[in-house]
Amino acid sequence: MRFWAAVLDQRILHESDDEVIVGADERSYPGLCFLRVPDEKTIKNRLYIDLDPDDQVAEVERIVALGARPADVGQGTDKSWIVLADPEGNEFCVLRPHRSLVD
């Protein structure tokens, strides 16, 4: 979860053997709670995160330096997003820059 705290530029607010809570601070919402599961990933993620940065290339470089790796989910080379996997193999996308969150 240190990976996601770094990607989101958030702090680890709580950490135990089976749970990590990440957020700006203890009173700022939303925060994210990550739970450990013993099972290997076998199917598509139930929750899929898309990151929407100002600079896609710089963000991909930054996230890869944090431990992500390119992932192939059948997206092809003509897509405007880049698929990566976190250190545990969970896929997510880095989108091309948008003018707004709903553009």
Side-chain angles (χ1 to χ4, degrees):
M1 299 322 126
R2 291 186 198 316
F3 170 81
W4 282 106
V7 166
L8 300 171
D9 194 24
Q10 301 284 306
R11 296 183 359 209
I12 293 176
L13 303 173
H14 168 78
E15 184 172 5
S16 67
D17 289 341
D18 60 352
E19 176 184 64
V20 175
I21 298 174
V22 173
D25 63 60
E26 293 171 358
R27 300 202 188 308
S28 295
Y29 292 92
L32 294 174
C33 179
F34 296 93
L35 302 174
R36 295 189 193 280
V37 295
D39 307 324
E40 292 283 327
K41 181 178 180 286
T42 59
I43 60 171
K44 184 177 178 177
N45 298 343
R46 293 186 65 201
L47 172 66
Y48 198 90
I49 295 174
D50 287 341
L51 301 175
D52 192 0
D54 293 334
D55 182 332
Q56 184 185 45
V57 173
E59 188 69 352
V60 167
E61 289 174 359
R62 183 182 79 84
I63 294 170
V64 167
L66 292 171
R69 62 186 182 282
D72 182 358
V73 294
Q75 70 272 20
T77 58
D78 62 333
K79 301 300 180 201
S80 63
W81 58 85
I82 297 171
V83 182
L84 299 174
D86 71 13
E88 294 185 357
N90 300 298
E91 297 93 358
F92 61 97
C93 289
V94 181
L95 306 178
R96 66 169 171 74
H98 291 86
R99 291 179 294 208
S100 73
L101 289 175
V102 295
D103 172 27

